[in-house]
Amino acid sequence: KTFEIGKVFRNEGTSPEHAQEFTNMEFYWSFANYEDGMKLVREMYIKIAQEVFGKTEFTTRGFTFDLAKEWVKIDYAEEIKKQTGIDIHTASEKDMMKKLQDLKVEYDGKNKERLMDTLWKYCRKNIAGPAFLINHPVIVAPLAKMVEGTSTVQMFQPIIAGSEVGRGYSELNDPIDQKERFDSQQKLIDSGDTEAMMADHEFVEMLEHGMPPTCGFGFGERLFAFLADKPLRELQMFPLMRPKK
């Protein structure tokens, strides 16, 4: 088992829930899978809430939830179908775009990965949690191991107050599969998808030397922002500031 707490940078936009630079915690647990990870993360979030806030029940962003209660598991495709009527496994890009237009949801990109992600983001706003989002399509999780016999992956995301507050999965340790997924992501990049993952050929080379079954998980300061019901930048010691004119 190993973990790291430190500053990270993501080259994306900022919002009340996202910062370009933030403090992040990641752990890797060898010979464990995503089921083990979900158990540990639930225990960890309850412990954090008790130690920092002295409670497990919170009201934030218009939702009330209790971290000490059961964490339900939400199937990615089933939840989208339940809320929108769209079956992401069979729907075309045209079907998804029409549904988003009907829902009056703005979207960027017209490939299936972006459209699925936008549909999910519409649905998650209606979920109080605590819950784990599972069974993500492989196209949205290029680093996670497959669920055997399906087109989904062994990934989980804690959900509270209509948003994800962490991400973990059984790490993909098959170098051949990993290279094929990076190639698929590169095609998305070439087609103009700015959120697709860049290929990491050195990572593939390391997998060729061998990696045990592993569960990885990470979360940042967003968790504390949600529990405190404040914008993310108010929970950072040195937030990004507007330059002086």
Side-chain angles (χ1 to χ4, degrees):
K1 298 175 183 178
T2 182
F3 74 94
E4 178 182 44
I5 298 175
K7 289 287 186 182
V8 294
F9 179 81
R10 56 194 290 277
N11 189 21
E12 298 179 26
T14 60
S15 76
E17 295 183 16
H18 296 87
Q20 289 182 321
E21 186 176 55
F22 58 98
T23 302
N24 189 61
M25 189 290 293
E26 287 187 315
F27 74 70
Y28 292 88
W29 180 3
S30 58
F31 302 103
N33 63 19
Y34 75 133
E35 294 282 358
D36 301 309
M38 281 187 272
K39 293 176 184 177
L40 176 58
V41 167
R42 179 180 181 272
E43 293 174 8
M44 179 170 63
Y45 279 26
I46 291 173
K47 180 70 171 178
I48 288 171
Q50 291 172 333
E51 292 289 331
V52 178
F53 298 94
K55 60 182 181 179
T56 60
E57 187 172 348
F58 298 85
T59 297
T60 179
R61 270 71 165 176
F63 295 97
T64 297
F65 56 89
D66 188 345
L67 297 175
K69 291 188 176 180
E70 179 187 2
W71 290 44
V72 299
K73 293 179 181 178
I74 295 174
D75 182 280
Y76 188 101
E78 289 180 3
E79 188 65 25
I80 291 176
K81 187 174 183 179
K82 182 173 76 173
Q83 291 200 38
T84 70
I86 290 289
D87 184 342
I88 61 171
H89 297 302
T90 60
S92 66
E93 287 88 342
K94 186 176 180 180
D95 294 333
M96 294 184 188
M97 286 189 284
K98 184 178 184 306
K99 175 55 67 174
L100 288 169
Q101 290 165 2
D102 292 343
L103 295 170
K104 295 181 172 54
V105 175
E106 295 183 5
Y107 59 92
D108 294 319
K110 298 180 180 180
N111 62 58
K112 198 162 189 177
E113 179 187 14
R114 282 297 123 240
L115 295 169
M116 283 192 301
D117 186 55
T118 306
L119 282 168
W120 159 247
K121 287 177 179 175
Y122 167 82
C123 295
R124 75 181 181 187
K125 295 178 181 179
N126 302 314
I127 300 172
F132 284 118
L133 179 65
I134 61 170
N135 294 336
H136 301 65
V138 63
I139 194 172
V140 302
L143 298 177
K145 187 175 289 187
M146 298 287 292
V147 176
E148 190 172 350
T150 74
S151 60
T152 63
V153 294
Q154 298 181 28
M155 180 169 157
F156 65 99
Q157 290 180 280
I159 306 292
I160 60 170
S163 190
E164 300 100 341
V165 285
R167 176 186 300 235
Y169 41 80
S170 302
E171 300 280 343
L172 179 59
N173 57 351
D174 180 341
I176 297 174
D177 190 355
Q178 185 64 84
K179 183 180 183 305
E180 291 174 350
R181 296 201 207 175
F182 278 150
D183 290 344
S184 297
Q185 291 291 305
Q186 186 60 52
K187 291 178 182 178
L188 292 173
I189 292 174
D190 294 341
S191 69
D193 188 340
T194 58
E195 294 191 30
M197 180 174 289
M198 293 180 63
D200 187 341
H201 300 294
E202 290 183 349
F203 180 61
V204 174
E205 183 180 353
M206 286 187 283
L207 290 182
E208 290 173 345
H209 288 279
M211 174 182 175
T214 300
C215 175
F217 178 80
F219 76 100
E221 293 155 324
R222 187 196 299 187
L223 172 64
F224 297 93
F226 271 75
L227 297 183
D229 197 17
K230 293 183 179 295
L232 178 59
R233 69 188 313 277
E234 292 188 25
L235 273 293
Q236 295 183 303
M237 294 186 68
F238 300 102
L240 183 67
M241 303 294 287
R242 183 176 297 171
K244 290 183 178 180
K245 294 183 178 179

